[in-house]
Amino acid sequence: MSRNILLVDDEPDITTYLSAVLEANGYTPTVALDAETGLAAAADVHPDVICLDIMMPRESGISMYKRLKQDPALRHIPVIIISGVGQGGTFDFRSYVSDASVPAPERFMEKPIDVAEYIQTIEELVS
Amino acid sequence: MRNRRAKTSRRLNDMVLATLFQQVPYNVAVIDRDYNVVEANDNFAEYFGDWHGKKCYAVYKKLNRPCDDCVSGKVFEDGKPRVADAVGIDQYGRQAHYVGHSVALRKSEGGPIEYVLEMTRAVTETDRWQQQIQVLFDRVPCFITVIDRDYRIVRANESFRDSFGDVRGHYCYEVYKRRTSRCRNCPAAKTFHDAKPHRSSKVGVGKRGQEIHYVVSTSPLTRGRGPVEHVIEISTDVTAVKRLEHDVIEAERLGAVGQTVAGLAHSIKNILMGLEGGKYIVSLGLKKDDKKMIGEGWEMLERNFEKTTSLVKDFLSFSKGRLPELKLINPRGLVTEIIDLYKNIAAQSGIELKADLPPRLRRAPLDPDGIHTCLTNLVSNAIDACLMGKQKGTEVVLRIRDTRDKLVFDVADNGSGIEYEIKKKIFTTFFTTKGGEGTGLGLLTTRKIVQEHGGKIIVDSTPGRGARFRMEFPRKRLMALFKHEV
């Protein structure tokens, strides 16, 4: 059975790109262009991994991430933050969320991603 | 009978003289030709110590030989009275400054000089005070000058002379500012007029041509209730403070550059990802011989190349490093312009755009184009936030507050609001609420312009309830930049 990956990013070119990469590697992508649709899709399809952007209008990826981790039905889903805000491949999650009760995301990837590394990360998280 | 009257009169004279000799507020001594002190009053003994059987030089100066410039000796020679300053030693061994009056004493008019009467008055305390005041006057870390009604400097302290040169007799405006006529808004003129202290900030020119910033306070120097004859000007050199203030503004500007570079990197990363995506989809389409996929990938490439162009263009305009061209303007006009520009656009989307301005607004040195850009960015963002929010009856309010120290512009909306986490990053990244359309440079540009005015921008927001962007301009800083520019 194909694994489902939820892509949440307000930039359609990026979701198109990542969808193509995932499909070419045998995954089923689900796309959401904002946090609200993303949360609804997560509750609906219960994806194996969620790839999440940070800077989005209306509600940020950080806010959506906190809501995911507060939801007992969704909090177990591993999350990859994919964003351009990091520097040199590192991401200081605590500068966004100081509340230690919110766990850090499973992975962080800096834009633009390396396709091979991206697929390897997804594989690690779904296995 | 006549003898008795003469006798009584002599006795009275003796009494008066004896009393006068003791009570006169001088140290009085009678010296003979051999420098012996033959008589002295109690004041003298109290001041110089026991004199009985001593020479005058031993009593006055604790010497064992006559003074080099003996005043009494001269009086004995020519009989002329003399007044002289002298420094001796009192009975406790302390240096004693005194003024001495020496007069010849003869038994009969035209007869030989038998004695010299010396009346001395200590001036030690006065001198000490004067010395202390002089030291204070010279060394106090302020420029002090005393000027007369013609604005000529009649006295200047050492600090002043060090910075401006020895300028007694020159006009104050000539010295302070190298002007040929009195300064406008002259605080000394006001003090001459109303006899009250006044204060003003000025920029002068030092003796080496250097710029000197100073705050001058003027006070009247007057005797009794008469007109002010002189004015004392006390100025504090604030050049170092001004330099520091300027450095702080520069440091803030440089800090903004660093943050801008980080923001630029974020934006470029997104575009690069789009380009990578286009390339990936084109190659995948080629591999699968899927024309639709190739077309889709090609469009992605085109879109992201276009984004690169517009980002570069926006960034160039953002970073061209133009300094604000400050003009003294009334901020009311700026707000009215923006309201006129956006009122219809807002109304078409069901948003009310309002101005909230105080009845009286003072003019301020602002760059009209720069502030126009800031207000345009903030109002356009606020309208977008209202469109994204789900509330009904949304509004954007443009408000100005003019306090004593600050000029404040607020752009407030009751739209979607900004989360705390994003709010923290809002000025350090190219944050956009316009999806793929915006470059996110609006707020960065706004912050840059505000900082170039020496101001700051503050955002206050509750998610779902709206946001308020506040631009605060301290009037002191605006004036400092304005004066610097002028």
Side-chain angles (χ1 to χ4, degrees), chain B residues 397 399 401 408-413 418 423 457-462 466-470 472:
Chain B
V397 183
R399 188 176 291 121
R401 279 196 308 121
V408 180
F409 291 84
D410 280 347
V411 177
D413 66 73
I418 311 158
K423 205 165 69 189
I457 182 160
I458 307 151
V459 56
D460 190 10
S461 173
T462 310
R468 186 197 66 199
F469 282 80
R470 168 166 288 179
E472 260 186 27

Side-chain angles (χ1 to χ4, degrees), chain B residues 273-308:
Chain B
M273 182 109 166
L275 287 169
E276 294 267 2
K279 193 179 79 177
Y280 181 86
I281 291 170
V282 167
S283 8
L284 203 64
L286 285 171
K287 207 187 281 175
K288 290 183 176 177
D289 198 21
D290 182 339
K291 281 189 182 160
K292 191 174 166 252
M293 193 176 251
I294 296 170
E296 202 181 334
W298 186 251
E299 275 174 25
M300 272 174 76
L301 283 171
E302 278 183 337
R303 255 197 310 276
N304 284 283
F305 275 121
E306 261 170 45
K307 274 189 201 170
T308 314

Side-chain angles (χ1 to χ4, degrees), chain A residues 9-14 16-18 20-25 36 53-64 66 82-88 94-97 110-113 115, chain B residues 262 265-270 272-274 276-278 280-281 284 288 293 296 299-300 303-304 307 388-390 416-422 424-426 429 431-437:
Chain A
D9 197 311
D10 64 312
E11 176 58 76
D13 282 349
I14 289 173
T16 307
Y17 173 30
L18 294 181
V21 171
L22 290 169
E23 278 169 357
N25 287 275
E36 205 173 316
D53 181 29
I54 293 180
M55 293 293 191
M56 292 191 291
R58 286 186 289 277
E59 185 179 345
S60 74
I62 294 293
S63 164
M64 180 185 157
K66 287 200 282 191
I82 302 179
S83 174
V85 295
Q87 277 193 336
R94 292 293 166 209
S95 78
Y96 288 86
V97 180
E110 192 178 357
K111 289 177 180 176
I113 53 141
V115 172
Chain B
H266 173 259
S267 203
I268 289 172
K269 284 181 209 170
N270 268 313
L272 276 176
M273 182 109 166
E276 294 267 2
Y280 181 86
I281 291 170
L284 203 64
K288 290 183 176 177
M293 193 176 251
E296 202 181 334
E299 275 174 25
M300 272 174 76
R303 255 197 310 276
N304 284 283
K307 274 189 201 170
M388 281 190 286
K390 287 172 183 160
S416 56
I418 311 158
E419 291 160 41
Y420 173 70
E421 286 80 9
I422 300 302
K424 283 198 295 184
K425 309 282 177 184
I426 205 161
T429 48
F431 180 66
T432 172
T433 54
K434 300 174 179 73
E437 299 302 312

